[in-house]
Amino acid sequence: MVQRLTEFDTIAAISTPIGEGGISIVRMSGEEAVTIANRVFKGKNLEQVPTHTINYGHVVDPASGQVIDEVMVSVMRAPKTFTKEDVVEINCHGGIVVTNDILRLLLANGARMADPGEFTKRAFVNGRIDLTQAESVMDIIRAKTDKARAVAVRQLAGGLLEEIRAIRQQILDVLANVEVNIDYPEYDEEQVTAEKMRACSEKATAEIDRLLQTAQEGQILRNGLATAIVGRPNVGKSSLLNYLTQSDKAIVTDVAGTTRDTLEEYVSVRGVPLKLIDTAGIHHTEDTVEKIGVERSKQAIGQADLVLLLLDASQELTAEDRRLLDYTKDKKRIIVLNKTDLGVKLDADQLESSQSPVIATSILQKAHLDELEDLIKQLFFSGIENSNDQVLVTNQRQAGLLEQAKRQLADVVSGLEAGMPVDLVQIDFTGAWETLGEITGESSPDELINDLFSQFCLGK
């Protein structure tokens, strides 16, 4: 268990994006937060105002007496704050110079510049949140769709935490019986304890499997689905990108090779966040710039979770089309037959062996594009699209630790089947309990904690 730390220095950081805006917020947390703020604030005595109040006044440089800005200062006393420490937030006018000047004054009067994610880290260390909730904070910030935001909010409320703690408690209850059997064998039979351990392992494994089934969907919601739009030149790739983004991100002309590099854009399709990559047409060329674009297109295909392969339905299948069909055969893909408004010459029977869904459309006339969007959703969210209250595993760290715990529980069962003594099998059983604790942070090494919070932005 991570013990609560109560003696922290006071940290400060700008919590709003740098730039011009209506307001900026400079945040402090720590035992001296109110005292430091009071040194640079002209108005009410902040050390005497009630907690959770907003106070009008000015920030003044105590060395020169110069007024920096007119502000509203929020004072929030521990423990009812995000960090469970005293927190002060100075709301000033949005602007780079004034915001930095206020931060500079706080640092000069006793605060320390916060590390990335340090406010959230203090909330974790002080027992305000667990690691899954800490990760959900960044998921909310980075959410690209309403569904991704809703999942992150459920995680912040402790959805995954409750699931993991329930599994750990089941294991802990059996571990207590094991300890009794080892220390006081006259009160228990080893066979009874072994059966309890086996039953618990099998039940916990089933619950872990249920969580792991959500891992692909959860990570797609968190990171976006890398989707490469692929095809030979002038088949409508940029037109499809523009349709999905509802903009003119890509230049569309009748000239082959207009797109010479990969273009990226995030878009939500039926609640699925797509990281769209409009690739340069893959074909043989002697043009140096086009060659670079073609190579980057091939790299994008290799890294893609989904390939939208566009073919020109108004022409017969070409040698380049066949090469693309072969090049993408091992990827999850949808074949899009575009330009049906110009007549259909491509024989769809030639695509039967591809084992990929085929959609015939005219992007120009926006025909059947709703079916394409539905198909993308079905391919990746067939199991959970209607499960709005389902807890999802949202990142690789969580999924990897669940897989590790599952292997340890499998070793428990196989060890018991092989007739190993209970006290030896207990090592893997305890290991599974500790591994699950790493998901929530209840048994995580300091290195993991530091690495996780270093990925957060400043001021969060």
Side-chain angles (χ1 to χ4, degrees):
M1 287 285 290
V2 176
Q3 295 182 346
R4 177 177 174 180
L5 303 180
T6 57
E7 293 185 2
F8 276 127
D9 52 355
T10 298
I11 56 174
I14 299 169
S15 293
T16 45
I18 296 297
E20 295 183 1
I23 62 169
S24 289
I25 297 176
V26 183
R27 174 186 291 170
M28 280 194 298
S29 179
E31 293 182 355
E32 298 296 317
V34 178
T35 300
I36 293 171
N38 208 41
R39 290 173 188 159
V40 301
F41 180 72
K42 184 177 181 181
K44 292 183 179 179
N45 185 340
L46 297 179
E47 296 189 279
Q48 296 179 0
V49 300
T51 184
H52 292 76
T53 58
I54 300 177
N55 305 275
Y56 169 79
H58 295 81
V59 169
V60 179
D61 186 341
S64 65
Q66 179 186 3
V67 175
I68 304 300
D69 194 19
E70 182 181 36
V71 299
M72 300 289 288
V73 178
S74 301
V75 175
M76 294 164 278
R77 293 284 190 175
K80 294 184 177 180
T81 67
F82 178 64
T83 61
K84 299 190 81 170
E85 302 172 338
D86 287 350
V87 172
V88 172
E89 292 185 350
I90 300 175
N91 293 253
C92 62
H93 290 96
I96 297 174
V97 174
V98 66
T99 308
N100 281 328
D101 281 350
I102 291 175
L103 176 61
R104 176 183 56 79
L105 275 182
L106 298 179
L107 299 179
N109 281 272
R112 170 179 64 79
M113 187 68 186
D115 293 329
E118 190 168 2
F119 290 95
T120 308
K121 182 179 179 180
R122 291 191 176 195
F124 164 72
V125 173
N126 287 331
R128 171 71 170 73
I129 57 176
D130 79 305
L131 276 192
T132 64
Q133 292 170 305
E135 289 171 319
S136 72
V137 171
M138 286 308 297
D139 288 348
I140 291 173
I141 294 171
R142 295 171 178 169
K144 300 173 181 67
T145 67
D146 288 339
K147 189 175 183 68
R149 175 197 50 77
V151 168
V153 169
R154 285 200 297 276
Q155 300 289 63
L156 185 59
L160 184 59
L161 170 64
E162 293 176 2
E163 298 266 1
I164 298 300
R165 280 186 173 170
I167 299 173
R168 294 189 83 219
Q169 187 60 51
Q170 295 170 21
I171 296 174
L172 188 61
D173 291 342
V174 176
L175 279 173
N177 287 334
V178 174
E179 293 294 337
V180 169
N181 180 53
I182 293 173
D183 296 337
Y184 306 99
E186 66 272 18
Y187 292 107
D188 197 3
E189 295 182 6
E190 183 170 342
Q191 184 60 37
V192 174
T193 301
E195 288 303 320
K196 289 180 180 178
M197 191 179 291
R198 179 202 298 269
C200 180
S201 296
E202 292 173 346
K203 182 180 179 183
T205 297
E207 293 176 1
I208 289 173
D209 280 335
R210 176 176 55 80
L211 289 173
L212 284 172
Q213 287 174 358
T214 71
Q216 181 190 41
E217 290 88 348
Q219 291 181 56
I220 288 171
L221 282 174
R222 188 175 194 257
N223 303 317
L225 185 70
T227 305
I229 304 175
V230 178
R232 56 186 173 86
N234 206 27
V235 293
K237 299 184 298 298
S238 296
S239 295
L240 180 58
L241 176 74
N242 288 344
Y243 168 79
L244 292 173
T245 60
Q246 297 296 301
S247 65
D248 294 324
K249 293 288 183 182
I251 300 172
V252 178
T253 74
D254 293 329
V255 179
T258 299
T259 302
R260 294 193 166 205
D261 199 355
T262 55
L263 299 176
E264 295 185 6
E265 185 71 19
Y266 278 98
V267 65
S268 173
V269 173
R270 298 289 194 270
V272 183
L274 302 186
K275 179 185 176 183
L276 290 174
I277 308 169
D278 178 20
T279 64
I282 298 179
H283 64 296
H284 176 74
T285 177
E286 297 299 330
D287 185 288
T288 302
V289 177
E290 280 193 272
K291 280 183 178 180
I292 296 173
V294 170
E295 286 304 312
R296 289 185 178 179
S297 296
K298 291 180 178 179
Q299 292 175 10
I301 293 172
Q303 298 170 0
D305 301 306
L306 170 67
V307 170
L308 301 179
L309 175 55
L310 268 68
L311 303 175
D312 188 341
S314 67
Q315 300 179 14
E316 295 181 356
L317 208 61
T318 68
E320 289 179 349
D321 291 332
R322 295 181 192 278
R323 281 195 291 271
L324 283 171
L325 284 165
D326 183 67
Y327 191 76
T328 60
K329 65 182 179 181
D330 296 326
K331 305 294 295 186
K332 183 170 285 191
R333 71 181 177 187
I334 299 173
I335 298 175
V336 181
L337 305 182
N338 189 31
K339 301 188 179 182
T340 55
D341 54 301
L342 301 179
V344 178
K345 294 182 180 179
L346 190 151
D347 185 0
D349 293 339
Q350 295 175 286
L351 305 175
E352 288 183 357
S353 62
S354 68
Q355 298 182 335
S356 299
V358 179
I359 294 286
T361 183
S362 167
I363 299 174
L364 180 65
Q365 296 182 346
K366 300 181 180 179
H368 304 293
L369 291 176
D370 285 346
E371 296 175 21
L372 174 61
E373 294 182 9
D374 289 337
L375 185 55
I376 292 172
K377 180 179 179 180
Q378 292 168 16
L379 281 175
F380 290 92
F381 288 90
S382 57
I384 66 165
E385 68 266 18
N386 294 319
S387 302
N388 293 326
D389 297 327
Q390 187 168 354
V391 173
L392 301 183
V393 175
T394 58
N395 62 55
Q396 189 57 49
R397 184 190 75 85
Q398 297 168 0
L401 290 170
L402 285 170
E403 291 282 5
Q404 181 179 335
K406 181 180 174 181
R407 289 193 296 269
Q408 290 167 320
L409 292 171
D411 289 341
V412 169
V413 174
S414 61
L416 292 172
E417 290 176 347
M420 292 177 61
V422 169
D423 56 337
L424 290 180
V425 178
Q426 178 195 11
I427 295 173
D428 287 319
F429 202 54
T430 303
W433 181 80
E434 292 176 345
T435 298
L436 291 170
E438 287 190 42
I439 297 175
T440 62
E442 292 169 292
S443 60
S444 295
D446 290 341
E447 293 81 4
L448 184 148
I449 302 298
N450 292 333
D451 181 66
L452 189 150
F453 286 104
S454 69
Q455 301 172 33
F456 281 50
C457 54
L458 282 169
K460 175 41 77 176

